[in-house]
Amino acid sequence: MRFYNREKELKLLEKVARGKGTRFVIIKGLRRIGKTRTVLEFLKNKNNYAYIFVPKDKSKDLFLEEISQDLNIPKFFNLKDFFRYIFEKYNIVFLDEFQNFYYVDSSAYSELQRIIDEFRRKGKNLLLIVSGSSYSLMNKIFSEYSKALYGRRDLGDNSL
């Protein structure tokens, strides 16, 4: 299958990827518009990245068990340790259907806030990309002042 009409978005992702420190990109929009495909195309020639799909229908324990097998990493029992490990191990992390952490374990958002802030203070080189198709949940997570990840993004107001 050919890949069409996302050159602008790919150039923008490349520009962000060349940056230093911890960068946080949010991609939101309706289902079936090419969010995941665009990021996977961006990652195609990259080294040291992790693609992680967040399912809506799995418990935290089952999610962590399956992802440890998929990525061939140690098994973790909480999201804090899991996030810290993958952010240390990989230069680029793509969390697809990110809003589903709301169902898996909503503490994911505050854990990410702490780690993102810590990595930024330390100057850790990391590109974190999250995408989501539940527009209302993604807006709630990132646009409400009272939420943990409010104001943390470097790129991502518009849909991809």
Side-chain angles (χ1 to χ4, degrees):
M1 179 184 293
R2 295 202 47 185
F3 182 71
Y4 293 101
N5 299 324
R6 294 295 185 183
E7 288 78 17
K8 178 181 163 187
E9 291 85 351
L10 289 172
K11 286 180 182 176
L12 192 53
L13 286 170
E14 287 293 345
K15 182 179 179 182
V16 172
R18 287 190 300 271
K20 301 287 184 210
T22 299
R23 285 105 44 220
F24 189 22
V25 175
I26 301 163
I27 302 169
K28 58 187 174 182
L30 299 174
R31 297 185 71 226
R32 316 292 317 153
I33 63 169
K35 298 176 302 296
T36 300
R37 177 70 198 276
T38 300
V39 177
L40 292 176
E41 188 72 19
F42 161 73
L43 293 171
K44 193 163 44 175
N45 298 316
K46 302 288 187 265
N47 296 317
N48 199 27
Y49 71 86
Y51 168 73
I52 299 163
F53 178 80
V54 183
K56 187 176 187 176
D57 59 347
K58 305 253 174 155
S59 69
K60 175 187 69 173
D61 294 334
L62 186 55
F63 168 73
L64 290 171
E65 182 177 321
E66 288 180 357
I67 204 68
S68 74
Q69 293 170 3
D70 291 346
L71 295 176
N72 196 25
I73 61 173
K75 184 174 186 272
F76 294 94
F77 297 97
N78 61 63
L79 291 174
K80 175 183 162 187
D81 294 338
F82 165 71
F83 287 140
R84 184 170 302 285
Y85 181 87
I86 63 169
F87 293 170
E88 291 285 351
K89 181 175 175 68
Y90 300 102
N91 293 328
I92 303 171
V93 176
F94 175 31
L95 298 170
D96 195 8
E97 293 300 336
F98 179 76
Q99 77 279 346
N100 289 338
F101 276 120
Y102 180 82
Y103 305 103
V104 173
D105 184 349
S106 62
S107 73
Y109 308 125
S110 58
E111 297 299 349
L112 274 174
Q113 172 201 359
R114 286 186 201 103
I115 295 170
I116 289 168
D117 290 349
E118 174 190 330
F119 278 29
R120 284 183 171 166
R121 280 191 307 272
K122 292 179 176 180
K124 165 77 171 120
N125 197 31
L126 170 70
L127 174 56
L128 174 59
I129 303 170
V130 302
S131 73
S133 59
S134 173
Y135 205 79
S136 60
L137 257 178
M138 291 293 282
N139 275 338
K140 184 176 186 172
I141 294 164
F142 295 107
S143 300
E144 289 186 11
Y145 182 77
S146 63
K147 301 299 179 193
L149 292 172
Y150 175 84
R152 297 304 189 287
R153 69 177 171 237
D154 295 300
L155 180 68
D157 261 339
N158 299 323
S159 300
L160 186 59

